[in-house]
Amino acid sequence: MATVSDRTIGRLSLYRRFLRDLRADGETHIFSHQLAALAGGTAAQVRRDIMAIGYSGSPVRGYDIERLLTSIGQFLDASQTQNVALVGVGNLGRALLAYFVGRHPTLSIVAAFDKDPAKANRVIHGCRCYPVDDLKVIAHEQDIRLGIVAVPAPEAQSVANLLCQAGVRGLLNFAPIRLWVPEHVHVEDIDVTMALEKVAYFARQSEAEREPSE
Amino acid sequence: MATVSDRTIGRLSLYRRFLRDLRADGETHIFSHQLAALAGGTAAQVRRDIMAIGYSGSPVRGYDIERLLTSIGQFLDASQTQNVALVGVGNLGRALLAYFVGRHPTLSIVAAFDKDPAKANRVIHGCRCYPVDDLKVIAHEQDIRLGIVAVPAPEAQSVANLLCQAGVRGLLNFAPIRLWVPEHVHVEDIDVTMALEKVAYFARQSEAEREPSE
DNA sequence: TAGATTGTTAATCGATTAACAATC
DNA sequence: TAGATTGTTAATCGATTAACAATC
C-alpha cells in the first residue's frame, strides 16, 4: 500500500536481524535510539521506517520487539516461503550455500545449477545440484521465483536469460556486468570490485584529511 | 578537491570497466548516452559524473576513451598500488582471491589470514596465507592499508579490531553485523542477506503489479 | 554551416533532519 | 504527575532531472 523506499527496505532487513538477536537475549522492548545505535542510523529514521510499515510503539516502553518482528515479517516476507535457485557452484556459490541453506526462514535455496557435469546430482551444503540444462524444468517443478547469478561475467547474461525464461521475478547478481532482463524482473547487483574501489577511495580521503599535505 | 558523492564514486568505478571493454574492442570515443545505456543511468548523469572529475569531452566526438580512463584513474586510484589484506580463507575468501589476485592494476591482495593453522603458510590462488596472529607484523611489512573481512559474524568484530590496530584505513566487510571502528576508518558493507531480501521484496512487488489481486 | 552533443544553470524530486505537540 | 519517547509536520539538504546556451 504505502510506497516504501528501497533504502527503507534495506534498513528493515537490518533492524530485523538486530531485533532477533535482542529477542534471543531475552529483551522484550526497545527504543528507537537504541535500535538506531545498533543499526547505525538516527532515531528519527528508525521511527519513520517503523511507521512506514504501520507499526506503532509506546511512548513509555518503546517498541515491543516480538510484535515489531511480526510486523516487519508481514511487510518484508511473502505469505509462504519463496524458493530460490543458485546458478554457479564455484567458490562463491558454495559460500552462499553454506551461508543460506536452512538458515533463512522465508527464503530457501532449493536448487543449485552448474554447467560442470561433475557437480550435477551432488548435494553440496545440503542443496541438490543439477546441470544447467535442467533449470527450466526444475524451476517449474519447485516453483522457483528468485535466482542468484554466481557465475563468471562472460556467462552471466546467458544464465540470466535462462532464469528469466524459467519464470523468475528477481535476480541477485554477483557478476560485474549489467544484466539485461525483462522489465518485470528486479535485479539487485552486488559489485565487489566497486565496493573495494570505494573503500580504497574513501580510505585515502580520510587519510588525506588526517595528514594534510601542507 | 571537489566533493564527489559516494554514488558518483561507485558509478565511476562502473564506467571504467565498460570503458576498458570498449578500448579492448578498439573503440576510441564514446558519447554520454552510449555510456549511460551501458551503465544503466542517464546521459546527463554520466556528463555530470565526468565533469566532477574535471574531464571534458568534445561536442562532436564525445569523450576520448583513453583520456577519460586516465582521468578516472587519476581520480579513483592512489598514486601507487594499495595493498590489501584478506582475513578469512573460507569459501568466500577463496572466491575473492580467485577473483582479485593479479587482476586489479591498483589494488593488490598481498596477504591472506586465517585462524585455521592448516591454511597458514599455504599459497591459495597465488596469495600467501598466514596465521591471524601474524597480521600486525605482516601488515606493517607489506604496507597494508585496506582489509577485507570475510569471516563468520561472531569473529568479525575482533578481526576488525586487529586490522584497525594494524593500521588499515578502510574495511570491506562481508559479515552481517555492524563493525565498530575508529572514526578515521572507512567501512563498506556487503550485506548479502539484505540484498537477497530486497530482491525477494521487489520481485513480489512487481509480481503484484502485474497480477492485481482484484 | 548545420546539428548533435557538451557544460552549466534552474527546477524538481525525494529523502533526511529538525522541531514539537501528543502520548502513556 | 513528570518526563522521555512517540507520531507527525515543516524545513533542510542533496541528488537527479530538465532546459538551454555554448561548442566544435
Side-chain angles (χ1 to χ4, degrees), chain B:
Chain B
M1 176 91 23
T3 306
V4 171
S5 78
D6 180 88
R7 297 195 177 184
T8 295
I9 301 297
R11 285 192 299 261
L12 287 169
S13 160
L14 198 61
Y15 299 157
R16 172 152 75 173
R17 268 177 284 157
F18 289 113
L19 292 168
R20 283 182 180 142
D21 288 347
L22 289 163
R23 179 175 61 181
D25 291 345
E27 300 288 333
T28 60
H29 290 75
I30 191 169
F31 293 124
S32 58
H33 62 87
Q34 295 174 309
L35 194 48
L38 289 169
T42 66
Q45 192 170 64
V46 167
R47 293 207 298 275
R48 192 165 36 77
D49 290 338
I50 291 175
M51 242 182 54
I53 61 171
Y55 182 71
S56 289
S58 140
V60 171
R61 309 209 63 188
Y63 299 100
D64 181 307
I65 290 175
E66 191 63 46
R67 286 163 191 256
L68 180 51
L69 275 168
T70 303
S71 287
I72 294 177
Q74 285 172 348
F75 188 84
L76 283 188
D77 297 332
S79 47
Q80 52 192 27
T81 301
Q82 287 175 285
N83 291 335
V84 183
L86 168 73
V87 185
V89 191
N91 282 309
L92 176 61
R94 286 195 297 273
L96 292 169
L97 288 176
Y99 184 63
F100 272 115
V101 171
R103 297 277 181 81
H104 203 286
T106 56
L107 291 169
S108 177
I109 300 182
V110 294
F113 299 88
D114 203 285
K115 69 172 182 181
D116 178 2
K119 282 170 187 154
N121 301 316
R122 287 178 54 196
V123 174
I124 296 178
H125 292 301
C127 179
R128 183 76 178 268
C129 296
Y130 304 90
V132 174
D133 295 335
D134 295 354
L135 206 160
K136 201 162 182 175
V137 173
I138 306 281
H140 280 113
E141 277 178 15
Q142 305 243 22
D143 190 31
I144 285 169
R145 295 296 179 90
L146 302 171
I148 301 176
V149 178
V151 299
E155 300 159 38
Q157 182 61 60
S158 67
V159 160
N161 294 346
L162 281 175
L163 284 163
C164 291
Q165 281 158 27
V168 305
R169 299 302 176 90
L171 293 177
L172 180 59
N173 172 42
F174 285 87
I177 63 163
R178 182 172 170 74
L179 297 178
W180 296 97
V181 297
E183 202 188 345
H184 65 276
V185 175
H186 180 91
V187 178
E188 198 82 25
D189 292 296
I190 289 189
D191 191 326
V192 180
T193 299
M194 183 192 290
L196 188 56
E197 291 189 343
K198 280 170 77 170
V199 171
Y201 177 81
F202 288 108
R204 271 187 303 120
Q205 290 298 104
S206 70
E207 209 157 332
E209 272 172 34
R210 280 162 65 91
E211 300 156 16
S213 52
E214 5 231 334

Side-chain angles (χ1 to χ4, degrees), chain A residues 137-161:
Chain A
V137 172
I138 307 280
H140 280 112
E141 277 178 15
Q142 308 242 22
D143 191 29
I144 286 169
R145 296 295 179 89
L146 302 171
I148 301 177
V149 178
V151 299
E155 298 160 38
Q157 183 61 58
S158 67
V159 161
N161 295 346

